Amino acid sequence: MSDDLTLSFTKQFGCSPELLFATETDVAHVRHTIAPFGEQVDVCEIDLRVGGQYHFVFTPEGGEPCSFRGEFLEVDSPRKVSATWIFDGWPDVVAVETKTFTATETGTSLLYELTFSDMNGRSRMGMRGLEANYDNLERYVASLLKQDL
């Protein structure tokens, strides 16, 4: 579901909000899921506090590095995290990325929203990479849950 400036989707996970929040905010976990198509992760830094920064860089085989960075605007563990979203390849594009974690009877519902400041940025962004990231996250969470058995 998307309005004019926002890309959004909801995905269900069979784990607690605490675990899902950690997999989205802790470097030890994020480095396993941030590269959507299995690219090499060169930088994975997270200072998880309001005003703290994050920076991710991953490089596709034979391609140019993809660098994403931003500043945390809201950190409400394990319910919500929001940050600016800047892709260095599009220096004129700024967005706000918000992830809301809601406990359900079977685990956690994640609402993902990426809101651009204008249509210039929004028109450049597709869902393919985001969907791949969250497919990676789903597999990664399942592997963590299997380890706990």
Side-chain angles (χ1 to χ4, degrees), residues 74-86:
E74 180 178 0
V75 178
D76 181 13
S77 178
R79 291 175 281 288
K80 188 175 187 180
V81 64
S82 180
T84 56
W85 180 95
I86 300 167

Side-chain angles (χ1 to χ4, degrees), residues 111-125:
L111 170 61
Y112 177 91
E113 298 170 293
L114 185 60
T115 302
F116 291 87
S117 58
D118 58 39
M119 285 306 292
N120 173 45
R122 171 60 185 92
S123 65
R124 293 180 183 185
M125 186 68 183

Side-chain angles (χ1 to χ4, degrees), residues 5-146:
L5 295 177
T6 302
L7 287 172
S8 68
F9 61 87
T10 301
K11 190 165 180 80
Q12 306 299 317
F13 292 85
C15 66
S16 69
E18 291 80 9
L19 177 59
L20 192 59
F21 188 90
T23 62
E24 286 284 88
T25 59
D26 184 325
V27 168
H29 296 297
V30 173
R31 69 173 41 268
H32 297 285
T33 64
I34 194 62
F37 305 107
E39 299 90 341
Q40 174 182 317
V41 176
D42 302 310
V43 177
C44 185
E45 300 170 345
I46 299 172
D47 180 7
L48 187 64
R49 61 184 174 83
V50 172
Q53 306 284 312
Y54 72 88
H55 186 205
F56 308 127
V57 178
F58 49 87
T59 305
E61 189 174 324
E64 294 294 315
C66 296
S67 176
F68 295 86
R69 59 188 168 79
E71 178 179 317
F72 289 101
L73 305 171
E74 180 178 0
V75 178
D76 181 13
S77 178
R79 291 175 281 288
K80 188 175 187 180
V81 64
S82 180
T84 56
W85 180 95
I86 300 167
F87 170 50
D88 288 337
W90 302 337
D92 58 336
V93 174
V94 177
V96 173
E97 181 179 60
T98 303
K99 301 170 188 178
T100 305
F101 306 83
T102 304
T104 66
E105 287 184 18
T106 58
T108 302
S109 176
L110 170 67
L111 170 61
Y112 177 91
E113 298 170 293
L114 185 60
T115 302
F116 291 87
S117 58
D118 58 39
M119 285 306 292
N120 173 45
R122 171 60 185 92
S123 65
R124 293 180 183 185
M125 186 68 183
M127 293 291 287
R128 187 171 166 254
L130 287 172
E131 289 170 346
N133 276 120
Y134 283 93
D135 289 346
N136 291 343
L137 182 61
E138 185 174 37
R139 286 188 295 273
Y140 181 72
V141 166
S143 74
L144 293 177
L145 293 173
K146 284 181 185 174

